[in-house]
Structure formats: structure tokens, C-alpha cells
Amino acid sequence: MRKFIQTLGLGMLILTAIISFTSCSKDDDPADNNLFIGKYEGKIAFDDLKDNSKDVASADGTITVTKTGNTYNFAFGNSIPNLNGVDFEEKDNVLINIGSAGTGVIRIDAGKLTIGYTKDDKVWTADCQRK
């Protein structure tokens, strides 16, 4: 019985060591791990203020978020034009849109994407959850 307890204790020690070495450190910034990249689903819409024939009414759809260099790209479904080259500021594992050519708000975290953004007389809106 004593041998069994020693073997069990040694096994637990090895398992704890393995988990400790493979876990993320506290200094690891999730933004460096592309936390915000991925596919989001929810309500999306698009309005072209100069050409109403290009408008897409609010409906369920997807947005795929990718990162190129220091900017983010948003590939919309439902025939909505993509929104590319958006600059963000990272705070508390949340990306918040900062000065680009457009105005409005784009907020993204690990689980939610919210867009209310206007650029060149075009308006993108979204309220999505990570897929």
C-alpha cells in the first residue's frame, strides 16, 4: 500500500509539473496570441449613403476578423463590403478603434464584436458573438 501511495504521489507531482510548464504565464498578453482573430456571428448590416441599392438590411450573418501587421480586417458575409485596415488600441484585453479614416465605434474582445462605423459615406453595423 505504501508503494502505491508513493507511486501515486510521484505521478501527481509529474502531472503538476507538466501542467505548470504548458500553461500560459501571467505575463503573456492575449493580444499577442491573436485573441481577437476569428469568426463572429450575429446581426450585421450595411448602408451606402450614396447608393441605396447597395444597402444590406440587418440579418444574421458572419464576420471573420484577421490581422495584417498592426491593423485588423473585417470580412463580412451577406454581400457586405469588407472593412480593412482598421487601427486599434488594446486595453484590458479589449480592442477599441482609434483614429482611422472613419468615425464610430468598433469594439472587440474574445467573445463579442460590436460595430457602428462610418467611412466614405458607408455605414457598417454589427452585434456579434464569437462562433
Side-chain angles (χ1 to χ4, degrees), residues 36-113:
F36 310 107
I37 293 173
K39 191 172 263 189
Y40 295 79
E41 288 184 342
K43 296 289 184 190
I44 61 176
F46 176 76
D47 291 313
D48 188 325
L49 302 177
K50 289 185 178 178
D51 183 357
N52 291 341
S53 69
K54 295 181 181 179
D55 291 356
V56 178
S58 181
D60 289 336
T62 62
I63 301 173
T64 302
V65 179
T66 57
K67 185 176 180 183
T68 304
N70 292 326
T71 63
Y72 286 80
N73 303 314
F74 299 87
F76 286 76
N78 299 9
S79 300
I80 295 175
N82 294 341
L83 183 57
N84 296 321
V86 181
D87 295 320
F88 284 91
E89 182 177 296
E90 299 173 20
K91 286 192 174 188
D92 299 324
N93 297 328
V94 175
L95 289 177
I96 301 172
N97 174 243
I98 58 170
S100 283
T103 59
V105 174
I106 299 176
R107 181 180 167 89
I108 184 171
D109 63 29
K112 185 164 177 65
L113 170 62

Side-chain angles (χ1 to χ4, degrees), residues 1-12:
M1 184 66 156
R2 183 176 177 175
K3 180 82 169 163
F4 174 74
I5 292 173
Q6 286 177 337
T7 303
L8 182 62
L10 180 60
M12 293 300 290

